[in-house]
Each structure stands twice: as structure tokens, then as C-alpha cells.
Amino acid sequence: MSHLINIFLEPAKVFGELKEKPTFVAPFLVLAAFTIASTLAYFLTVDPAWFSEHQVSQILAGNPDMTKEQVAQAQAFMPGARVSGYIGAGVAVVFLGIVYLVLGLYYLLAGKVTGNAAGYKHGLALATWSSMPMVIASLVIIGGVFTSSNQTPLESLQMLNVDPLLVQLPIGHDWSTLAKSFSLLNFWTWFLAALGWKTWFRTGWGQAVFVAVLPSLVIYGVMALVAIL
């Protein structure tokens, strides 16, 4: 359990110990717990009537030609704020688990390609432990929930993302999705993943950084390509 603290203070020491005994359950549970807490904190606090209107405005922003009848029909099928919270929390944890399972496989394959013996358990450990800074993003949301109006969009509380920290793009803007998805904490998680890889396999920083950044580079690259097109 001391790793949960030392990953922020002495990450090289943590990864050195994880090389001999890789674990991933504790960091995943912490990340899942904070994800659930931040999701429920928002949706159980937000003004339900305002949230419903906000959902409609988002639909209209993406489909400005919709008629009033179509909007009313869509609104009838949209869950309320409370239900959205419970559904969102469950979906977020499942998605989180899938992401780490895929990343674990990625690190396994990366090890084979680079000639480094990285087992699947090591891959899961690297994926989860390097993601621990994302706990801070959840704490920022929770803090925002209790210090902001209950008529604030969730994306506006994600203050460590490019949007809204550096820019405020309107809904429907070509670069809105990318800006709202890119967290500045990514740089920290990339560093930790690269440090773990370098520590385990005694590689140079070049290979370690490339392996750590490649998945995100592909994802954000596709998002940028969609925005351009």
C-alpha cells in the first residue's frame, strides 16, 4: 500500500520493486473508486431541470436542423441526472478496466518487439501504476462540484484539460472533442510509464518514451485528423 504514496514521491523505487512482484489490483481499485466518486458527486448534485436543458442544447448544437418534435422525442428517452450518474459511474469503471486490459496487452507486445521480456502482469502493472496521477483529475472535479454552481457542465469542472484550462471552445467546434479530452496530467502519466519501462529493462529514454507515448499518440492523432477533416 505504500506504493500508492511513493508512486508520487519515489516512482523509480516503486517500479524497481514492481519488477520483481508486479501488482495492479490496488491502483485499479483506487482509480475506479475516485472515478465513481467524482461521477456520482457531480450527477447527484447537479440541478436536474438544468441538466435536462443542457442535454437538449448539446443535441441541438450537433444537430441544428432538428425540429421541436424530434427534440422532444429525444428528450423523452434521455435519462435524468441521477440515473445518468449511476449509469455513468458503472460505464466509466468498465471502460477503465477495458483500457487497462488493452494497455497491458500493448506493453506485452511492445516487449516482444523490443526484445524485452514483459509479461502480461507487468503490462497491467505499468498501465495502472503510471495512471495514478489521474486521481488528481477526480479530486479536481469533486472540489469543483462543491465550490461551483449546480448548473455547471461536467466538462467545465475538468480544469486540468486543455478545454477549459487553456481554451474555451463552443460545443460543436471541430477541435472541441480533442481539447476537452486532453488532460495535462497525460504528461505525468507518460513520464511514469516511460520511467517504469526504463527501470525494468535498462533501456534509453528514447525507447521508453516512445513506448509510453505511442498509444496516446495514435488516439489523439486520430482525433486531430477527424478535426482537420
Side-chain angles (χ1 to χ4, degrees), residues 44-90:
L44 297 183
T45 306
V46 69
D47 181 344
W50 173 88
F51 178 74
S52 179
E53 294 177 359
H54 178 65
Q55 285 182 305
V56 172
S57 66
Q58 288 185 311
I59 293 176
L60 290 174
N63 304 275
D65 297 328
M66 289 183 67
T67 64
K68 291 183 178 181
E69 291 74 15
Q70 290 174 321
V71 171
Q73 185 177 14
Q75 191 173 15
F77 286 97
M78 290 188 299
R82 307 299 182 260
V83 175
S84 295
Y86 295 124
I87 294 175

Side-chain angles (χ1 to χ4, degrees), residues 42-216:
Y42 175 78
F43 285 101
L44 297 183
T45 306
V46 69
D47 181 344
W50 173 88
F51 178 74
S52 179
E53 294 177 359
H54 178 65
Q55 285 182 305
V56 172
S57 66
Q58 288 185 311
I59 293 176
L60 290 174
N63 304 275
D65 297 328
M66 289 183 67
T67 64
K68 291 183 178 181
E69 291 74 15
Q70 290 174 321
V71 171
Q73 185 177 14
Q75 191 173 15
F77 286 97
M78 290 188 299
R82 307 299 182 260
V83 175
S84 295
Y86 295 124
I87 294 175
V91 170
V93 171
V94 171
F95 178 76
L96 200 65
I98 293 174
V99 168
Y100 291 138
L101 290 174
V102 173
L103 280 176
L105 179 60
Y106 162 75
Y107 286 125
L108 172 65
L109 296 176
K112 292 184 180 298
V113 171
T114 58
N116 298 307
Y120 188 54
K121 196 171 182 179
H122 280 88
L124 291 174
L126 188 57
T128 52
W129 283 104
S130 64
S131 297
M132 280 299 293
M134 288 303 174
V135 166
I136 298 174
S138 295
L139 289 173
V140 169
I141 292 175
I142 294 173
V145 167
F146 295 107
T147 57
S148 303
S149 166
N150 64 349
Q151 296 184 352
T152 303
L154 178 59
E155 56 269 21
S156 296
L157 299 178
Q158 297 172 320
M159 291 300 299
L160 296 178
N161 289 3
V162 171
D163 184 350
L165 180 60
L166 302 178
V167 297
Q168 293 82 44
L169 300 178
I171 298 174
H173 190 282
D174 292 340
W175 293 92
S176 178
T177 300
L178 177 57
K180 286 179 171 60
S181 302
F182 192 95
S183 172
L184 297 185
L185 290 173
N186 285 334
F187 294 103
W188 195 348
T189 63
W190 292 339
F191 165 74
L192 289 178
L195 178 64
W197 189 270
K198 182 178 183 295
T199 301
W200 288 350
F201 305 120
R202 305 296 181 185
T203 68
W205 277 109
Q207 181 187 122
V209 171
F210 179 79
V211 170
V213 173
L214 183 58
S216 297

